[in-house]
Amino acid sequence: MSEKEKNISRRDFLKTSGIATGTLIGGGLIGGIIGYGMPKTTKVPDKKTEKTNHNLTSPKGRMFFTKDRDFNILSQATERIFPKDDTGPGAIELGVPYFIDNQLAGNYGSNAREYMQGPFFVGAPTQGYQSSQTRADAYTQGVSMLEKEAQSRYKKSFVDLEGEQMDAILTSFEKGEVKMNGLTSDFFFRMLRAATLQGAYADPIYSGNNNMDGWRMKNFPGNQMSYLNVIDSKEFQKIDPQSLANMKH
């Protein structure tokens, strides 16, 4: 195996795996994007250039994370999972934090359509959601624990850490090494990772995938009314993506 093959980046993994497409995103479908499962040779922008109060600069509204600190912790965590690089924008630029925030404010956050009665035991990865806590509670605790770990290890807020320090904390979550109440930290990490990918590739009407750039990176056409004009073509068709919001009735 060549050095080039060994030095596959996190974004390269997403591009080449074929898993992280708009129709295949789901909880726990892929291995660790960050941390001990992948090498760290990809150069990503200095987080300090990315770190802004995005709630103040974006026209999108927050519906769940009312505190700037909590929202910015979530933002930086998603950016480490899906970083900006030379292939395209990262989680923050794609609006992933707003996607997660908006989802937590709805049925997803309250587990409204799921059985949430006891008994509660730690389940196998294939058993789905097993916690007594709602996703809204899990994210509230998870964000709080990210901050607590940062203060304990580095005496700084999570948003003020260097990228490698953030990765070290997120990797500890991924390995299940951080103590949480009512759920394991690896379960929370899998949930956060899945939601990050969903926000990067979901239809923009759900507040993520800004400018459909997540789709553009994978040449995914989005929601087209018809393919009749190209269906007989034997060549690959690069089609400008369309959101559900662009569809004419």
Side-chain angles (χ1 to χ4, degrees), residues 203-205 212 215 223 242-249:
D203 192 285
I205 64 172
M212 294 175 281
W215 290 345
N223 299 286
Q242 295 293 318
S243 166
L244 288 171
N246 301 130
M247 297 182 71
K248 297 180 180 180
H249 299 286

Side-chain angles (χ1 to χ4, degrees), residues 120-159:
F120 298 100
F121 300 100
V122 176
T126 57
Q127 291 182 299
Y129 204 92
Q130 297 290 314
S131 175
S132 61
Q133 298 186 21
T134 64
R135 291 187 185 89
D137 292 334
Y139 270 87
T140 297
Q141 182 186 175
V143 167
S144 177
M145 290 304 298
L146 286 171
E147 178 69 6
K148 183 176 179 180
E149 285 295 303
Q151 295 288 351
S152 174
R153 298 186 190 194
Y154 305 110
K155 311 302 180 185
K156 294 181 179 179
S157 174
F158 186 82
V159 299

Side-chain angles (χ1 to χ4, degrees), residues 94-109:
L94 287 170
V96 168
Y98 286 96
F99 169 84
I100 295 175
D101 174 87
N102 291 184
Q103 292 297 305
L104 290 174
N107 288 339
Y108 172 84

